[in-house]
Amino acid sequence: MASLLKVNLQLGFFSGGSHRNQRSRSRSSVISMSSSVSTTQNLYKTTLSQNLSIPIMVNGCTGKMGMAVIKAADSAGVNVVPVSFGSAEESGQTLQVHGKDIVVHGPADRENVLASVFNEHPNLIVVDYTVPSAVNDNAELYCKVGVPFVMGTTGGDRDLLYKTVEDFKVYAVISPQMGKQVVAFLAAMEIMAEQFPGAFSGYSLQVMESHQASKMDTSGTAKSVISCFQKLGVSFDVDQIQMIRDPRPQLEMVGVPEEYLSGHAFHMYHLTSPDQTVSFEFQHNVCGRSIYAEGTIDAVLFLAKKVQSKADKRIYNMIDVLREGNMR
């Protein structure tokens, strides 16, 4: 390979006809490369500057998901405002999250606080990673004030959530799953269900989902996948999902690495034919929270563009974000 490289270099040299032309081309290449690097640097600075003009308020910043989003926002150059909503016990605390001092406000006077922050930051987008029981109240608050938001919290009354946003005509990205690659898998499942309804009629289904002990509700992703299997002809109820929240079986049976017991999402869907001779298995394992945090920031940047362009559509999901094709 070394001799081949040498020959190619020599051929390239002699093809120019003179040492002077070669030196001239070399200088042109250097200038061209410098120009390319300069253009890339300028593009990065422009993108960073645009991102800094997008302020976000991360509610639930004391939780691990909220902290992960703040870290991802910092890496992307997105401006995190120093205000967050939390529980009554957390009210009044000033927390340092990834080098940022954030004042946490409890349930009291939230509307005035949010209105004040929105007035100071007219391009504000709220990111919600609170708890399932707060989903609907929080969404109603954001809608009343008129703040666009990204709802990453699962649970709550989802029909009411969508109705609230529709009634107030507020821009929002709502998705039970923020991991871009997992969302792509879900999109593929939906396409299969739409184009091949009944393809798995008669098959039995087993579903196991394992998450950290702090996740109280059933996985929204699992529910979405099951909905697709139901359209494919499989009879299965959400109540049949095997939810694993105990660390011991997570280690011994599921195979979750010990360092990720506090933050993981392992899903397995096993299909078996009526005569037990054919089986299919779908599995996706996620360790940590960075995949969701990165997807959340992509959703923020996506939503900011929709607000700025005054798009007619108001409610989006992560599939819309994927289809836009402008992810980092």
Side-chain angles (χ1 to χ4, degrees):
M1 185 178 288
S3 61
L4 181 61
L5 179 61
K6 184 177 180 181
V7 170
N8 287 340
L9 287 172
Q10 288 173 340
L11 287 171
F13 177 79
F14 285 115
S15 65
S18 72
H19 290 278
R20 183 165 54 187
N21 287 344
Q22 175 66 19
R23 286 197 299 271
S24 176
R25 282 198 303 274
S26 297
R27 284 196 298 271
S28 297
S29 297
V30 171
I31 292 169
S32 176
M33 186 178 294
S34 299
S35 175
S36 177
V37 170
S38 177
T39 301
T40 302
Q41 289 174 339
N42 289 336
L43 182 61
Y44 172 76
K45 289 177 182 177
T46 301
T47 302
L48 195 62
S49 175
Q50 290 172 342
N51 289 355
L52 283 170
S53 68
I54 303 172
I56 66 169
M57 176 181 182
V58 181
N59 288 334
C61 74
T62 58
K64 292 178 180 177
M65 197 57 235
M67 291 181 182
V69 168
I70 291 172
K71 181 179 180 180
D74 187 58
S75 298
V78 173
N79 177 32
V80 179
V81 300
V83 180
S84 178
F85 291 151
S87 65
E89 293 74 24
E90 296 165 336
S91 181
Q93 295 182 18
T94 299
L95 303 175
Q96 190 170 79
V97 183
H98 295 291
K100 300 180 185 296
D101 290 330
I102 298 177
V103 179
V104 180
H105 294 267
D109 206 31
R110 295 190 313 158
E111 186 173 341
N112 288 336
V113 171
L114 183 57
S116 176
V117 174
F118 193 30
N119 184 59
E120 185 178 350
H121 303 279
N123 297 325
L124 182 71
I125 291 178
V126 171
V127 173
D128 191 295
Y129 276 106
T130 54
V131 293
S133 59
V135 165
N136 295 108
D137 286 345
N138 286 353
E140 185 174 357
L141 171 65
Y142 308 149
C143 288
K144 282 180 69 176
V145 177
V147 185
F149 66 94
V150 174
M151 179 60 73
T153 311
T154 59
D157 185 331
R158 306 308 276 194
D159 291 336
L160 177 59
L161 171 61
Y162 283 99
K163 185 178 186 306
T164 301
V165 180
E166 286 170 357
D167 289 347
F168 281 91
K169 294 180 171 55
V170 168
Y171 288 97
V173 173
I174 301 172
S175 179
Q177 171 59 253
M178 289 291 177
K180 293 173 286 188
Q181 293 76 17
V182 180
V183 171
F185 165 70
L186 284 173
M189 287 293 301
E190 289 182 3
I191 291 170
M192 183 166 65
E194 180 183 334
Q195 296 190 5
F196 309 110
F200 285 92
S201 294
Y203 275 66
S204 60
L205 175 65
Q206 290 177 296
V207 179
M208 180 278 296
E209 57 100 332
S210 172
H211 290 78
Q212 62 277 2
S214 60
K215 181 172 175 57
M216 295 171 280
D217 59 329
T218 304
S219 166
T221 302
K223 290 178 181 178
S224 296
V225 174
I226 289 167
S227 174
C228 292
F229 280 127
Q230 289 170 338
K231 293 173 186 174
L232 287 163
V234 178
S235 178
F236 189 89
D237 192 87
V238 172
D239 293 338
Q240 295 174 264
I241 296 174
Q242 183 184 5
M243 291 173 55
I244 301 177
R245 300 291 184 268
D246 187 341
R248 175 168 285 185
Q250 287 175 343
L251 281 170
E252 298 175 357
M253 183 180 76
V254 182
V256 179
E258 188 171 3
E259 62 268 31
Y260 291 110
L261 287 174
S262 62
H264 70 277
F266 280 38
H267 289 220
M268 188 276 290
Y269 310 89
H270 188 90
L271 290 156
T272 307
S273 64
D275 63 0
Q276 308 288 308
T277 61
V278 181
S279 65
F280 292 85
E281 191 167 283
F282 299 80
Q283 185 172 341
H284 54 91
N285 298 340
V286 175
C287 292
R289 295 176 173 84
S290 61
I291 184 175
Y292 311 119
E294 292 291 336
T296 300
I297 297 304
D298 280 330
V300 166
L301 300 178
F302 165 89
L303 193 60
K305 290 179 181 177
K306 296 302 177 185
V307 174
Q308 187 177 23
S309 66
K310 295 181 171 60
D312 292 332
K313 184 177 177 179
R314 299 301 174 100
I315 303 177
Y316 300 91
N317 56 33
M318 281 301 290
I319 292 178
D320 295 313
V321 178
L322 281 169
R323 284 178 176 149
E324 193 83 355
N326 294 326
M327 294 172 295
R328 297 162 298 118

